[in-house]
Amino acid sequence: MTDALARLRELMVDDLAVHGGRSLAYVYDAGREDVDAVAGEAVSMYAGANGLDPSAFPSLLAMENELVGFACDLVDAPDTAVGTVTTGGTESIMLAVQGARDARPDIERPNIVLPETAHPSFQKAAQYFGIDQVSVRVDGHYRAQVGAMAEAMDADTVLAVASAPSYAHGVVDPIAWIAAACAAKNVPLHVDACIGGWILAYADRIGRVKPAWTFAVPGVSSISVDLHKYGYTPKGASILLHRTAAERRPTYFSSADWPGYTMVNTTMASTRPGGPLAGAWATVQTIGEQGYLELARDCLDAVDLLLTGIDEIDGLELVVRPDSTLVAVRTDGSCDVFTIADEMVERGWYVGPQMSWRGEPPTLHLSVSAATLGHVDECLAALRDSVEAARATGPVRVDRSIAAALDSLVPDRLTDDEFDALLVAAGLAGAGGAVSLPRRMAPVNVLFNAAPPRLREALLETYVDRLYRPVRARVSDAATT
Ligand SMILES: *Cc1c(COP(=O)(O)O)cnc(C)c1O
């Protein structure tokens, strides 16, 4: 008999820590064990439930309506507002874009207008739904430029986009101004508050005034806000809100044109897992208004302390002063961010490397959680030591021959052989072209960073394609041991 859970516990050892406030990307930690316990129990209670049919699982319908109601209050939604709980920010955004497209069947070749700092899920939506994407340059502080956005909107624009805040730099676009331009051009505006919406709303309530971004701004038509980020809920929950039910309606899908049950889907999925919704509902119930206020205060305090501390670290500098809890830093060139990230891992911290973009150097991303507040000094000490270690070794360089090889590759026609040769040249290949997850990522990151964006995408896809390969012996092995 094998114990699956024991094996999972063994495997988990290599994973990023979900609790402890030391993982500054991908996970968000309220630092509340009581909340985690309740949320975990709720997820498992609802593991088998299916939100596909609200008449079969009325409790899921009730939870969804309560969650959306809670979010409506957060984002100053008018009485006409409605919302849908989705599996994540990407699904919320894809639905927002699809709904905006299908609200305008009269437009033959629809486009969306977005700042170049917008989350890639908008590019994904444009690609999936056959929509042109018009990317607009941001200003020197990485915020959308109102004039350029307005200019880019034309008669075929079905949706404009602004971020509150952007992921990479944590700044909020000038939403009131963009919304005014949208209203003048009769273009709906989607505010992507996926990552920061939940906490920005509380920042406002505790007097840390932030730029306006909610439905209080006339011209904002829809807002996406993730629960599984600063709502601190288990993964798999986000909310898409529309100002009116009429605007939401095109996101629905129904079919009576088959022999089975008449289908109505409110999201991209059909079977809708009950676990994440129940986990989110239980989390919001348990933390509550007062709890979120305290968590927001903790988180913003942690950010302030980090910003001050980072200022004092030689070799490190802020890219821009954030409007939120997301911090981007870069080096002064004496070391590279990828080595710093690896050194942070050695010290029990995870920060997210962000590659060079539009000729600007790569950066480190820190999504600060409420649970980080208790460890700010430790974080700053780890950063200081990591920068020192990275300076001692100096920046990882891309070998000349590898740089030449990169130059010769054509992204659209990247073959397996070329990729293999590159891996071998970079000393990254395993036996038979197999790739693995190295403990130190800097050599891989530096290589990818040296590639132009299109090639970087192709390289990364090929790399990931190699990572996801079936392991065919494990189950039978386990059964016989
Ligand atoms: C995380 C994020 C998204 C996408 O959300 P997922 O839950 O990862 O699908 C969209 N926009 C921004 C700004 C984000 O940070």
Side-chain angles (χ1 to χ4, degrees), residues 208-223:
R208 310 220 189 182
V209 182
K210 302 289 175 192
W213 60 275
T214 63
F215 283 115
V217 178
V220 171
S221 312
S222 54
I223 295 178

Side-chain angles (χ1 to χ4, degrees), residues 73-92:
D73 290 342
L74 272 189
V75 300
D76 308 316
D79 291 342
T80 53
V82 292
T84 301
V85 173
T86 68
T87 56
T90 300
E91 189 183 10
S92 292

Side-chain angles (χ1 to χ4, degrees), residues 28 88-91 93 119 121 165-167 192 194-195 226 228-229:
Y28 306 82
T90 300
E91 189 183 10
I93 284 165
H119 192 270
S121 48
S166 65
Y167 179 87
D192 177 11
C194 276
I195 191 161
D226 289 352
H228 63 198
K229 285 172 182 162

